[in-house]
Coordinates of all heavy atoms in Angstrom, one line a residue:
M66 N 137.5 59.3 -62.3 CA 138.4 60.1 -61.7 C 139.4 59.4 -60.7 O 138.9 58.5 -60.0 CB 137.8 61.1 -60.9 CG 138.6 62.1 -60.0 SD 137.7 63.2 -59.1 CE 139.1 63.8 -58.1
D67 N 140.6 59.6 -60.8 CA 141.6 59.0 -60.0 C 141.6 59.8 -58.6 O 142.0 61.0 -58.6 CB 143.0 59.0 -60.6 CG 144.0 58.3 -59.8 OD1 143.6 57.4 -59.0 OD2 145.2 58.4 -60.0
L68 N 141.2 59.2 -57.5 CA 141.1 60.0 -56.3 C 142.4 59.9 -55.5 O 142.8 59.0 -54.8 CB 140.0 59.3 -55.4 CG 138.6 59.5 -55.9 CD1 137.6 58.8 -55.0 CD2 138.2 61.0 -55.9
T69 N 143.2 60.9 -55.7 CA 144.4 61.2 -55.1 C 144.3 62.5 -54.3 O 143.5 63.3 -54.5 CB 145.6 61.2 -56.0 OG1 145.5 62.5 -56.9 CG2 145.7 60.1 -56.9
L70 N 145.2 62.6 -53.3 CA 145.2 63.8 -52.5 C 145.4 65.0 -53.3 O 144.7 66.1 -53.1 CB 146.3 63.8 -51.5 CG 146.1 62.7 -50.4 CD1 147.3 62.7 -49.4 CD2 144.8 62.9 -49.5
D71 N 146.3 64.9 -54.4 CA 146.5 66.1 -55.3 C 145.3 66.3 -56.1 O 144.9 67.5 -56.3 CB 147.7 65.7 -56.2 CG 148.1 66.9 -57.1 OD1 148.2 68.0 -56.5 OD2 148.2 66.8 -58.3
A72 N 144.6 65.4 -56.6 CA 143.4 65.6 -57.3 C 142.3 66.2 -56.5 O 141.6 67.2 -57.0 CB 142.8 64.2 -57.9
V73 N 142.1 65.8 -55.3 CA 141.1 66.4 -54.4 C 141.6 67.9 -54.1 O 140.7 68.7 -54.1 CB 141.0 65.6 -53.1 CG1 140.1 66.4 -52.1 CG2 140.5 64.1 -53.3
S74 N 142.9 68.1 -53.9 CA 143.3 69.5 -53.6 C 143.0 70.5 -54.8 O 142.6 71.5 -54.6 CB 144.7 69.5 -53.4 OG 145.2 68.8 -52.3
Q75 N 143.1 69.9 -56.0 CA 142.7 70.7 -57.2 C 141.2 71.1 -57.4 O 141.0 72.0 -58.1 CB 143.3 70.0 -58.4 CG 144.9 69.9 -58.4 CD 145.5 70.0 -59.8 OE1 144.8 70.2 -60.7 NE2 146.7 69.7 -59.7
L76 N 140.3 70.3 -56.7 CA 139.0 70.5 -56.7 C 138.5 71.7 -55.8 O 137.5 72.2 -56.0 CB 138.2 69.3 -56.4 CG 138.3 68.2 -57.5 CD1 137.7 67.0 -56.8 CD2 137.6 68.5 -58.7
S77 N 139.4 72.0 -54.8 CA 139.0 72.9 -53.8 C 138.8 74.3 -54.4 O 139.6 74.7 -55.2 CB 140.1 72.9 -52.8 OG 139.8 73.8 -51.7
P78 N 137.9 75.1 -53.9 CA 137.7 76.4 -54.4 C 138.7 77.3 -54.0 O 139.0 78.4 -54.6 CB 136.3 76.8 -54.0 CG 135.9 75.9 -52.8 CD 136.7 74.6 -53.1
D79 N 139.3 77.0 -52.7 CA 140.4 77.9 -52.3 C 141.2 77.2 -51.1 O 140.7 76.0 -50.7 CB 139.8 79.2 -51.7 CG 138.7 79.0 -50.7 OD1 138.8 78.1 -49.9 OD2 137.7 79.9 -50.7
E80 N 142.3 77.7 -50.7 CA 143.1 77.1 -49.6 C 142.3 77.0 -48.3 O 142.6 76.0 -47.6 CB 144.4 77.9 -49.5 CG 145.5 77.6 -50.5 CD 145.8 76.2 -50.5 OE1 146.2 75.6 -49.4 OE2 146.0 75.6 -51.7
A81 N 141.5 78.0 -48.0 CA 140.8 78.0 -46.7 C 139.8 76.7 -46.8 O 139.7 76.0 -45.7 CB 140.0 79.2 -46.5
S82 N 139.1 76.4 -47.8 CA 138.2 75.2 -47.9 C 139.0 74.0 -47.7 O 138.6 73.1 -47.0 CB 137.5 75.2 -49.2 OG 136.7 76.3 -49.3
L83 N 140.2 73.9 -48.4 CA 141.0 72.7 -48.3 C 141.5 72.5 -46.9 O 141.5 71.3 -46.3 CB 142.2 72.7 -49.2 CG 143.1 71.5 -49.3 CD1 142.3 70.3 -49.8 CD2 144.2 71.8 -50.4
K84 N 141.9 73.6 -46.3 CA 142.4 73.5 -44.9 C 141.3 73.0 -43.9 O 141.5 72.1 -43.0 CB 143.1 74.8 -44.4 CG 143.6 74.8 -43.0 CD 144.2 76.1 -42.6 CE 144.8 76.0 -41.2 NZ 145.4 77.3 -40.8
A85 N 140.1 73.6 -44.1 CA 139.0 73.2 -43.3 C 138.6 71.8 -43.5 O 138.3 71.1 -42.5 CB 137.8 74.1 -43.6
A86 N 138.6 71.3 -44.8 CA 138.3 69.9 -45.0 C 139.3 68.9 -44.4 O 138.8 67.9 -43.8 CB 138.3 69.7 -46.6
K87 N 140.5 69.4 -44.4 CA 141.6 68.5 -43.8 C 141.3 68.3 -42.4 O 141.6 67.3 -41.7 CB 143.0 69.0 -44.0 CG 143.5 68.8 -45.4 CD 144.8 69.4 -45.7 CE 145.3 69.1 -47.1 NZ 146.6 69.7 -47.4
G88 N 140.7 69.3 -41.7 CA 140.4 69.3 -40.3 C 139.2 68.4 -40.0 O 138.9 68.0 -38.8
L89 N 138.4 68.1 -41.0 CA 137.2 67.2 -40.9 C 137.6 65.8 -41.2 O 136.7 64.8 -41.0 CB 136.1 67.7 -41.8 CG 135.5 68.9 -41.5 CD1 134.5 69.4 -42.6 CD2 134.8 69.0 -40.1
V90 N 138.8 65.4 -41.5 CA 139.2 64.0 -41.7 C 139.4 63.4 -40.4 O 140.6 62.9 -40.2 CB 140.4 64.0 -42.8 CG1 140.7 62.5 -43.1 CG2 140.1 64.8 -44.1
V91 N 138.4 63.2 -39.7 CA 138.5 62.6 -38.4 C 137.3 61.6 -38.4 O 136.2 62.1 -38.4 CB 138.4 63.6 -37.3 CG1 138.4 63.0 -36.0 CG2 139.5 64.6 -37.4
P92 N 137.5 60.3 -38.2 CA 136.4 59.4 -38.2 C 135.3 59.8 -37.1 O 134.1 59.5 -37.5 CB 137.0 58.1 -37.8 CG 138.4 58.2 -38.4 CD 138.8 59.7 -38.0
A93 N 135.6 60.3 -36.1 CA 134.5 60.7 -35.1 C 133.6 61.7 -35.6 O 132.5 61.8 -35.2 CB 135.3 61.1 -33.7
K94 N 134.0 62.5 -36.6 CA 133.1 63.5 -37.1 C 132.2 63.0 -38.1 O 131.2 63.6 -38.6 CB 133.9 64.6 -37.9 CG 134.8 65.4 -37.0 CD 134.3 66.8 -37.0 CE 135.1 67.7 -36.1 NZ 134.3 68.7 -35.4
W95 N 132.3 61.7 -38.6 CA 131.5 61.0 -39.6 C 130.8 59.9 -39.0 O 131.3 58.7 -39.1 CB 132.4 60.6 -40.7 CG 133.0 61.8 -41.4 CD1 134.1 62.4 -41.2 CD2 132.5 62.5 -42.5 NE1 134.4 63.4 -41.9 CE2 133.4 63.5 -42.9 CE3 131.4 62.3 -43.4 CZ2 133.1 64.3 -43.9 CZ3 131.1 63.1 -44.4 CH2 132.0 64.2 -44.7
P96 N 129.6 59.9 -38.3 CA 128.9 58.8 -37.7 C 128.4 57.9 -38.8 O 128.1 56.7 -38.5 CB 127.8 59.4 -36.9 CG 127.6 60.8 -37.6 CD 128.9 61.2 -38.1
L97 N 128.2 58.3 -40.1 CA 127.9 57.4 -41.2 C 128.8 57.6 -42.3 O 128.8 58.8 -42.8 CB 126.4 57.7 -41.4 CG 125.8 57.0 -42.7 CD1 125.7 55.5 -42.3 CD2 124.5 57.6 -43.1
L98 N 129.2 56.6 -42.9 CA 130.0 56.6 -44.2 C 129.6 55.3 -45.0 O 129.4 54.3 -44.5 CB 131.5 56.6 -43.9 CG 132.2 57.9 -43.3 CD1 133.7 57.4 -42.9 CD2 132.2 58.9 -44.3
G99 N 129.6 55.7 -46.3 CA 129.3 54.5 -47.3 C 129.8 54.9 -48.6 O 130.2 56.0 -49.0
S100 N 130.1 53.8 -49.4 CA 130.5 54.0 -50.8 C 130.2 52.8 -51.5 O 129.8 51.7 -51.1 CB 132.0 54.2 -50.8 OG 132.7 53.0 -50.4
D101 N 130.1 53.0 -52.9 CA 130.0 51.9 -53.8 C 130.8 52.3 -55.0 O 131.6 53.3 -55.1 CB 128.5 51.5 -54.2 CG 127.8 52.7 -54.9 OD1 128.4 53.6 -55.4 OD2 126.6 52.7 -54.8
A102 N 130.7 51.5 -56.2 CA 131.6 51.9 -57.3 C 131.3 53.2 -57.9 O 132.3 53.8 -58.5 CB 131.3 50.8 -58.4
A103 N 130.1 53.8 -57.7 CA 129.8 55.1 -58.4 C 129.8 56.3 -57.4 O 129.9 57.4 -57.9 CB 128.4 55.0 -59.0
A104 N 129.6 56.0 -56.1 CA 129.4 57.2 -55.2 C 130.0 57.0 -53.9 O 130.3 55.9 -53.4 CB 127.9 57.5 -55.1
L105 N 130.1 58.1 -53.1 CA 130.5 58.2 -51.7 C 129.4 58.9 -51.0 O 128.8 59.8 -51.6 CB 131.8 58.8 -51.5 CG 133.0 58.4 -52.4 CD1 134.1 59.6 -52.1 CD2 133.5 57.2 -51.8
W106 N 129.1 58.6 -49.7 CA 128.1 59.3 -49.0 C 128.4 59.2 -47.5 O 129.1 58.3 -47.1 CB 126.7 58.8 -49.3 CG 126.5 57.4 -49.0 CD1 126.1 56.8 -47.7 CD2 126.7 56.3 -49.8 NE1 126.0 55.5 -47.8 CE2 126.4 55.0 -49.2 CE3 127.1 56.2 -51.2 CZ2 126.4 53.8 -49.7 CZ3 127.1 54.9 -51.7 CH2 126.8 53.8 -51.0
G107 N 127.9 60.2 -46.8 CA 128.2 60.1 -45.4 C 127.5 61.3 -44.7 O 126.8 62.1 -45.4
E108 N 127.5 61.3 -43.4 CA 127.0 62.3 -42.5 C 128.1 62.9 -41.7 O 128.9 62.1 -41.1 CB 125.9 61.8 -41.6 CG 124.7 61.4 -42.4 CD 123.5 61.0 -41.4 OE1 123.8 60.8 -40.2 OE2 122.4 60.8 -41.9
C109 N 128.3 64.2 -41.8 CA 129.4 64.9 -41.0 C 128.8 65.7 -39.9 O 128.0 66.6 -40.2 CB 130.2 65.8 -42.1 SG 131.6 66.6 -41.3
Q110 N 129.2 65.5 -38.8 CA 128.7 66.3 -37.6 C 129.3 67.6 -37.6 O 130.5 67.8 -37.4 CB 129.0 65.6 -36.3 CG 128.4 66.1 -35.1 CD 126.8 66.2 -35.3 OE1 126.2 65.1 -35.5 NE2 126.3 67.3 -35.1
G111 N 128.5 68.7 -37.7 CA 128.9 70.0 -37.7 C 128.6 70.6 -36.3 O 128.4 69.8 -35.2
S112 N 128.5 71.9 -36.2 CA 128.1 72.5 -35.0 C 126.7 72.4 -34.5 O 126.3 72.7 -33.4 CB 128.6 74.0 -35.1 OG 127.8 74.6 -36.1
G113 N 125.8 72.0 -35.6 CA 124.4 71.9 -35.2 C 124.0 70.6 -34.6 O 124.9 69.7 -34.5
S114 N 122.7 70.3 -34.4 CA 122.4 69.1 -33.7 C 122.2 67.9 -34.7 O 122.5 66.8 -34.5 CB 121.0 69.2 -33.0 OG 120.0 69.6 -33.9
K115 N 121.9 68.3 -36.0 CA 121.8 67.2 -37.1 C 123.1 67.3 -38.0 O 123.6 68.3 -38.4 CB 120.6 67.6 -38.0 CG 119.3 67.3 -37.4 CD 118.2 67.5 -38.4 CE 117.0 67.0 -37.9 NZ 115.8 67.1 -38.9
P116 N 123.7 66.2 -38.3 CA 124.8 66.1 -39.1 C 124.4 66.5 -40.6 O 123.3 66.3 -41.0 CB 125.2 64.7 -39.1 CG 124.2 63.9 -38.6 CD 123.2 64.8 -37.8
Y117 N 125.4 67.1 -41.4 CA 125.1 67.3 -42.7 C 125.2 66.1 -43.6 O 126.1 65.2 -43.3 CB 126.2 68.3 -43.2 CG 126.2 69.7 -42.5 CD1 127.4 70.1 -41.8 CD2 125.1 70.5 -42.6 CE1 127.3 71.3 -41.2 CE2 125.1 71.8 -41.8 CZ 126.2 72.1 -41.2 OH 126.2 73.3 -40.6
Q118 N 124.3 66.1 -44.5 CA 124.3 64.8 -45.5 C 125.2 65.2 -46.6 O 124.9 66.2 -47.3 CB 122.9 64.6 -45.8 CG 122.1 64.1 -44.6 CD 120.6 63.8 -45.0 OE1 120.1 64.3 -46.1 NE2 120.0 63.0 -44.2
V119 N 126.2 64.4 -47.0 CA 127.1 64.7 -48.0 C 127.2 63.6 -49.0 O 127.2 62.3 -48.6 CB 128.5 64.9 -47.4 CG1 129.4 65.4 -48.5 CG2 128.5 65.8 -46.2
Q120 N 127.1 63.8 -50.3 CA 127.2 62.9 -51.3 C 128.1 63.3 -52.4 O 128.2 64.4 -52.7 CB 125.9 62.6 -52.0 CG 124.7 62.1 -51.0 CD 123.8 63.3 -50.7 OE1 123.6 64.2 -51.4 NE2 123.2 63.1 -49.4
V121 N 128.9 62.4 -53.0 CA 129.8 62.7 -54.1 C 129.6 61.5 -55.1 O 129.7 60.4 -54.9 CB 131.3 62.7 -53.6 CG1 132.2 62.9 -54.8 CG2 131.5 63.7 -52.6
D122 N 129.3 62.0 -56.4 CA 129.2 61.1 -57.5 C 130.6 61.1 -58.1 O 131.1 62.1 -58.5 CB 128.3 61.7 -58.5 CG 128.1 60.8 -59.8 OD1 129.0 60.0 -60.1 OD2 127.1 60.9 -60.5
K123 N 131.2 59.9 -58.1 CA 132.6 59.8 -58.3 C 132.9 60.1 -60.0 O 134.0 60.3 -60.4 CB 133.3 58.5 -58.0 CG 133.3 58.3 -56.6 CD 134.2 57.1 -56.1 CE 133.4 55.8 -56.0 NZ 134.2 54.9 -55.6
S124 N 131.8 59.9 -60.7 CA 132.0 60.0 -62.2 C 132.4 61.5 -62.7 O 132.9 61.7 -63.7 CB 130.8 59.5 -63.0 OG 129.7 60.4 -62.8
G125 N 131.9 62.4 -61.9 CA 132.1 63.9 -62.2 C 133.4 64.5 -61.9 O 134.2 64.8 -62.6
P126 N 133.9 64.5 -60.6 CA 132.9 64.3 -59.5 C 131.8 65.4 -59.4 O 132.1 66.5 -59.7 CB 133.7 64.3 -58.3 CG 134.9 65.2 -58.6 CD 135.2 65.1 -60.2
A127 N 130.7 65.0 -58.8 CA 129.6 66.0 -58.6 C 129.2 65.8 -57.1 O 129.4 64.8 -56.5 CB 128.4 65.6 -59.5
F128 N 129.0 67.0 -56.5 CA 128.9 67.1 -55.0 C 127.5 67.5 -54.6 O 126.9 68.4 -55.4 CB 129.9 68.1 -54.5 CG 131.3 67.8 -54.8 CD1 131.9 68.1 -55.8 CD2 132.0 67.1 -53.7 CE1 133.3 67.7 -56.1 CE2 133.4 66.7 -53.9 CZ 134.0 67.1 -55.1
K129 N 127.1 67.1 -53.6 CA 125.8 67.6 -52.9 C 125.9 67.6 -51.4 O 126.4 66.5 -50.8 CB 124.6 66.7 -53.3 CG 123.3 67.3 -52.8 CD 122.1 66.5 -53.4 CE 120.8 67.1 -52.9 NZ 119.7 66.5 -53.4
C130 N 125.6 68.6 -50.7 CA 125.7 68.7 -49.2 C 124.5 69.5 -48.7 O 124.1 70.5 -49.4 CB 127.0 69.2 -48.8 SG 127.3 69.3 -47.1
S131 N 124.1 69.1 -47.5 CA 123.0 69.8 -46.9 C 123.5 71.1 -46.1 O 122.7 71.8 -45.5 CB 122.2 68.9 -46.1 OG 122.9 68.5 -45.0
C132 N 124.7 71.4 -46.1 CA 125.2 72.5 -45.4 C 124.9 73.8 -46.1 O 124.6 73.8 -47.2 CB 126.8 72.5 -45.2 SG 127.8 72.9 -46.6
P133 N 124.9 75.0 -45.4 CA 124.6 76.3 -46.1 C 125.7 76.9 -46.8 O 125.6 78.1 -47.3 CB 124.1 77.1 -44.9 CG 124.9 76.6 -43.7 CD 125.1 75.1 -43.9
S134 N 126.9 76.3 -46.9 CA 128.0 76.9 -47.6 C 127.7 77.3 -49.1 O 127.0 76.6 -49.8 CB 129.2 76.0 -47.6 OG 130.3 76.5 -48.3
R135 N 128.3 78.5 -49.4 CA 128.1 78.9 -50.8 C 129.3 78.4 -51.7 O 129.3 78.6 -52.9 CB 128.0 80.4 -50.8 CG 126.7 80.9 -50.2 CD 126.6 82.5 -50.4 NE 125.4 82.8 -49.8 CZ 125.2 84.1 -49.4 NH1 126.1 85.0 -49.6 NH2 124.1 84.4 -48.8
K136 N 130.3 77.9 -51.1 CA 131.5 77.4 -51.8 C 131.1 76.1 -52.4 O 130.4 75.2 -51.9 CB 132.7 77.3 -50.9 CG 133.1 78.6 -50.4 CD 134.4 78.4 -49.6 CE 134.9 79.8 -49.1 NZ 136.1 79.7 -48.4
F137 N 131.7 75.8 -53.6 CA 131.4 74.5 -54.2 C 132.8 73.9 -54.8 O 133.4 74.7 -55.6 CB 130.5 74.7 -55.3 CG 129.9 73.4 -55.9 CD1 129.0 72.6 -55.2 CD2 130.4 72.9 -57.1 CE1 128.6 71.5 -55.8 CE2 130.0 71.7 -57.6 CZ 129.2 71.0 -56.9
P138 N 133.1 72.8 -54.5 CA 132.6 71.9 -53.5 C 132.9 72.5 -52.1 O 133.8 73.3 -51.9 CB 133.2 70.6 -53.6 CG 134.5 70.9 -54.2 CD 134.3 72.1 -55.1
C139 N 131.9 72.2 -51.1 CA 132.2 72.7 -49.7 C 133.2 71.8 -49.0 O 133.6 70.8 -49.6 CB 130.9 72.6 -49.0 SG 130.2 71.0 -48.6
K140 N 133.6 72.3 -47.8 CA 134.6 71.5 -47.2 C 134.2 70.1 -46.7 O 135.0 69.2 -46.7 CB 135.0 72.3 -45.8 CG 133.8 72.4 -44.8 CD 134.2 73.3 -43.7 CE 133.1 73.5 -42.7 NZ 133.4 74.3 -41.6
H141 N 132.9 69.9 -46.7 CA 132.4 68.5 -46.3 C 132.5 67.5 -47.5 O 133.0 66.4 -47.3 CB 130.9 68.6 -45.9 CG 130.6 69.6 -44.8 ND1 130.1 70.8 -45.0 CD2 130.9 69.6 -43.5 CE1 130.1 71.5 -43.9 NE2 130.5 70.7 -43.0
G142 N 132.3 68.0 -48.7 CA 132.5 67.2 -49.9 C 134.0 66.9 -50.0 O 134.2 65.8 -50.4
L143 N 134.8 67.9 -49.9 CA 136.2 67.7 -50.0 C 136.7 66.7 -48.9 O 137.5 65.8 -49.2 CB 137.0 69.0 -49.9 CG 136.8 70.0 -51.0 CD1 137.3 71.4 -50.6 CD2 137.4 69.5 -52.3
A144 N 136.3 66.9 -47.7 CA 136.6 65.9 -46.6 C 136.2 64.5 -46.9 O 136.9 63.6 -46.6 CB 136.1 66.4 -45.2
L145 N 135.0 64.3 -47.4 CA 134.6 63.0 -47.8 C 135.5 62.3 -48.9 O 135.9 61.2 -48.7 CB 133.2 63.0 -48.3 CG 132.5 61.7 -48.5 CD1 132.5 60.8 -47.3 CD2 131.0 61.9 -49.1
L146 N 135.9 63.1 -49.8 CA 136.9 62.6 -50.8 C 138.2 62.3 -50.2 O 138.9 61.2 -50.4 CB 137.1 63.6 -52.0 CG 136.0 63.6 -53.0 CD1 136.4 64.7 -54.0 CD2 135.8 62.2 -53.7
L147 N 138.7 63.2 -49.3 CA 140.0 63.0 -48.5 C 139.9 61.8 -47.7 O 140.9 61.0 -47.7 CB 140.3 64.1 -47.7 CG 140.7 65.4 -48.5 CD1 140.8 66.6 -47.5 CD2 142.0 65.2 -49.2
L148 N 138.8 61.5 -47.0 CA 138.7 60.2 -46.3 C 138.8 59.0 -47.2 O 139.3 58.0 -46.8 CB 137.3 60.2 -45.5 CG 137.2 61.0 -44.2 CD1 135.7 61.2 -43.9 CD2 138.0 60.4 -43.2
H149 N 138.1 59.0 -48.3 CA 138.2 58.0 -49.3 C 139.7 57.8 -49.8 O 139.9 56.6 -50.2 CB 137.2 58.2 -50.4 CG 137.0 57.0 -51.2 ND1 136.3 55.9 -50.8 CD2 137.4 56.8 -52.5 CE1 136.3 55.0 -51.8 NE2 136.9 55.5 -52.9
C150 N 140.4 58.7 -49.9 CA 141.8 58.6 -50.4 C 142.6 57.8 -49.5 O 143.5 57.1 -49.8 CB 142.5 60.0 -50.6 SG 141.8 60.9 -51.9

């Protein structure tokens, strides 16, 4: 997958999720970030005491997040991709 801003925008389930994800594209919200050729991962500090664990498999892309959101992908997964762009 070519990770461009447009490609990430098209993965969003709705405009509200994309807008929320853009608000998370702040390095201070991500105490841990990592990547390799196949995946991206990080921890995103939300309102709780523990950060959400977020992973993206770039081959799909496939998303996994420890947040309780029912949207897929959630704003954290989208934000992780936006940070990588």
Side-chain angles (χ1 to χ4, degrees):
M66 175 185 172
D67 187 23
L68 291 176
T69 64
L70 294 176
D71 188 49
V73 174
S74 296
Q75 296 209 5
L76 293 171
S77 180
D79 54 36
E80 280 298 315
S82 295
L83 184 59
K84 183 177 180 181
K87 288 178 180 178
L89 294 174
V90 183
V91 178
K94 293 246 182 216
W95 296 85
L97 173 71
L98 285 172
S100 67
D101 61 20
L105 307 171
W106 59 89
E108 292 183 347
C109 183
Q110 188 60 54
S112 57
S114 61
K115 287 186 172 184
Y117 297 121
Q118 297 176 337
V119 188
Q120 301 99 28
V121 178
D122 179 338
K123 294 192 277 186
S124 67
F128 298 85
K129 184 173 182 180
C130 184
S131 62
C132 79
S134 176
R135 293 183 182 160
K136 294 184 180 182
F137 191 80
C139 69
K140 64 185 178 184
H141 307 103
L143 292 169
L145 185 57
L146 283 177
L147 290 171
L148 280 167
H149 189 71
C150 289

